[in-house]
Amino acid sequence: MSSTPLKDHNRETRTFRIRAVIAFIIVLIALFGLVTRFYFLQVMEHDRYSALSDKNRVQLQPVAPTRGLIYDRNGVLLADNQPSYSVTLLKEEVKDLDGTLARLQELIPITDKQVERFRKRLKQRRRPFESVPLRFRLTEDEIARISVNYHRLPGVRIEADLIRYYPYGSSLVHALGYVGRINERELERVDETNYSATHYIGKLGIEKYYESTLHGQVGFQKVETNARGRVMRVLERTDPVPGEDLILSLDLKLQQTTEKLLEGRRAAVVAIDPKDGGILALVSTPGYDPNMFVTGISNKDYGALRESDDLPLFNRALRGRYPPGSTVKPITALAAIDSGSVSPSFKVRDFGWYTLTKNGRRYRDWKRGGHGVVGLNLALAQSCDVWFYSAGHKMGVDPMSDYLGRFGFGSIESLDLPEATRGILPSREWKRNNRRAPWYPGDSLNLSIGQGFLLATPMQLATATAVIANRGRWVQPRMLKGAYQPDEEKGFAVGEMEYDYGKGKPEDVQLNHPEYWNLIIQGMVDVVHGPRGTARRSAKGVKYRFAGKTGTAQVVGIKQDEEYDAEKLAERLRDHALFVAFAPVEDPKIAVAVIVENGGGGSSTAAPIARKVMDAYLVGEKEVESTEFESLMGYDHD
């Protein structure tokens, strides 16, 4: 039987002491390291970490400027800013984005499309700690529901913002344009710093053209935030510079009266002040509500606008290119006599048709039996096609194209209408380059009566009419009248505003024979005031003298052996009705161009509209009585 050895207490004590000493040394080393690190951080690196701490606590935030307002010439507010509350997310503070979005959808209505747009905005370039909007125009109830759940929604904020509001909706959309959410492509074209807090930018019209003036300059503020990123107090602030308030030459009452006259039609009217080129009215119908586009239009609403047969999104006044028809006859007549192609006493015998060669193709007059012997004045008053065929044949294309170009056809002479198009001014070179064909005499005949290849916009027709009213003096159409300035006595004043449009004024139309202006204008006066004028009914009861010219533009061709019958054609295949005018003749204050798509004759449809527009501006008529309106309807062609 073996015995168990007794414990060696001395050895165990020695081992314990060695281990205790080693542990104590390790503790000392660790403590020394901790003290050394503490000294390094608190003393040696104090300034650095103090700055980093302040950066985490103090943030520099951009402050968006207030967008400038827009007024009409009488000080009526056309484009306003209204407060709106939005729910936004700060990506840097959101740990679970999908979960946060799901919780928000449980609290307030948020569509999948809104979530999709939010994710797109999240991917755009942005400054650190810049919030991204998810849904706009929150109600008070929705704000309350989010606020009481803040503790479950880190990174979610309710932010107040000013958004654009157009109180007159569709009445002014084609004149003003609208603002919308700024996108990545637009951010690349602007100063990123100046737009760092801006969510909206001008998309169309005046809002787009004067974006830099309306936007203003961004401000900045230093704010102290808590651990959750919420602003506790503002430490320092540099106020933003608000955008300038603009006054336009538009007359809201005239605009609304004109829109009422065009109700239910596809049409456009442009009215210009011949003295300074100020645009008094610019109407294209049908229109649409621009407020739908400010914070983002739904697919359903946009699809309905885009697919409508009436094209409400299309700005007919600026982009509609139409054969101007007989409305250009005053200019082609002026070209014929001033170039010496025919004399002012030149006459033709009109049998109802014109031929270039014996037994050749017949170019028909609008009056089937003809007008008999016709001179310059009657050719304008009765819109005799045969006189213009003959003069156009003798003249050829070169003088016609030259004179039409002097009046602004084929070019964009307006100053601040970014959607304006130049139309088509045909010439020998144009046809050779675009149609790969030579210019034929028959082309000159068509051009002389405003048909064929010539296409013009209502804006160009109004501009050319203003130049005629000024007897050749050019004024370029523009919307801007000046800067809005408050005035204690008058309520507001128009301040001077310098703006570089980047283009010079066209040369005034200088005639070889300035006295010929009288002949052309008298012919236009006789269109409405003469005993045989095509639009004489439109001048019934007028309190001023005006000059005008009717026009009818074919939509489909009619064979030589057929007669035009509107009742047999589908409504959208009928002729366009046109009319241009200026008044008063002695001291022109307004020049008007009207086009009614598929409206029939210019005298029966377009001329009464122009008359009522001029009445509204010159004598202050506000209401259009249907019986009175119908009494102005003429029944002559053209």
Side-chain angles (χ1 to χ4, degrees), residues 164-176:
R164 206 54 149 181
Y165 174 67
Y166 302 98
Y168 298 99
S170 61
S171 293
L172 294 160
V173 63
H174 290 299
L176 294 184

Side-chain angles (χ1 to χ4, degrees), residues 226-282:
N226 62 15
R228 302 178 71 179
R230 304 200 187 284
V231 176
M232 305 302 293
R233 61 191 178 110
V234 177
L235 303 176
E236 187 179 328
R237 180 182 172 94
T238 301
D239 290 328
V241 179
E244 288 202 58
D245 297 338
L246 304 183
I247 290 185
L248 304 185
S249 55
L250 282 174
D251 186 312
L252 177 62
K253 290 183 179 179
L254 182 65
Q255 182 87 6
Q256 292 178 319
T257 298
T258 304
E259 184 183 29
K260 182 178 180 181
L261 291 167
L262 301 183
E263 189 173 358
R265 304 176 185 267
R266 298 179 302 280
V269 171
V270 177
I272 296 175
D273 184 345
K275 296 186 183 302
D276 60 8
I279 298 171
L280 304 172
L282 191 153

Side-chain angles (χ1 to χ4, degrees), residues 118 138 179 246 278-279 335 411 425 459 496 512 534 545 553 625:
F118 166 78
L138 298 179
V179 301
L246 304 183
I279 298 171
S411 61
L425 175 60
M459 175 56 68
E496 293 292 330
N512 298 320
T534 54
R545 280 211 319 157
E625 298 293 341

Side-chain angles (χ1 to χ4, degrees), residues 162-216:
L162 288 175
I163 63 172
R164 206 54 149 181
Y165 174 67
Y166 302 98
Y168 298 99
S170 61
S171 293
L172 294 160
V173 63
H174 290 299
L176 294 184
Y178 59 82
V179 301
R181 297 289 305 180
I182 193 167
N183 58 39
E184 187 77 17
R185 188 172 62 254
E186 290 162 337
L187 277 173
E188 294 175 355
R189 299 199 305 262
V190 298
D191 182 351
E192 187 176 350
T193 300
N194 196 32
Y195 278 76
S196 56
T198 300
H199 299 307
Y200 307 96
I201 193 170
K203 299 284 186 176
L204 286 176
I206 292 302
E207 293 277 25
K208 178 180 180 180
Y209 192 88
Y210 291 107
E211 170 62 30
S212 58
T213 303
L214 290 165
H215 177 262

Side-chain angles (χ1 to χ4, degrees), residues 76-131:
V76 179
L77 186 60
L78 306 180
D80 194 8
N81 297 318
Q82 289 193 343
S84 174
Y85 290 91
S86 308
V87 58
T88 67
L89 278 76
L90 196 62
K91 184 181 178 182
E92 288 79 1
E93 296 179 6
V94 178
K95 297 178 181 179
D96 180 7
L97 181 60
D98 292 335
T100 300
L101 291 174
R103 283 191 289 274
L104 281 171
Q105 285 180 305
E106 294 174 359
L107 295 173
I108 63 174
I110 299 175
T111 65
D112 292 338
K113 189 64 180 180
Q114 289 170 331
V115 173
E116 181 183 341
R117 288 175 182 163
F118 166 78
R119 293 186 184 277
K120 287 182 179 179
R121 296 186 195 113
L122 206 60
K123 295 177 182 178
Q124 292 179 357
R125 287 181 304 162
R126 58 189 185 87
R127 296 166 63 91
F129 292 95
E130 182 179 340
S131 60

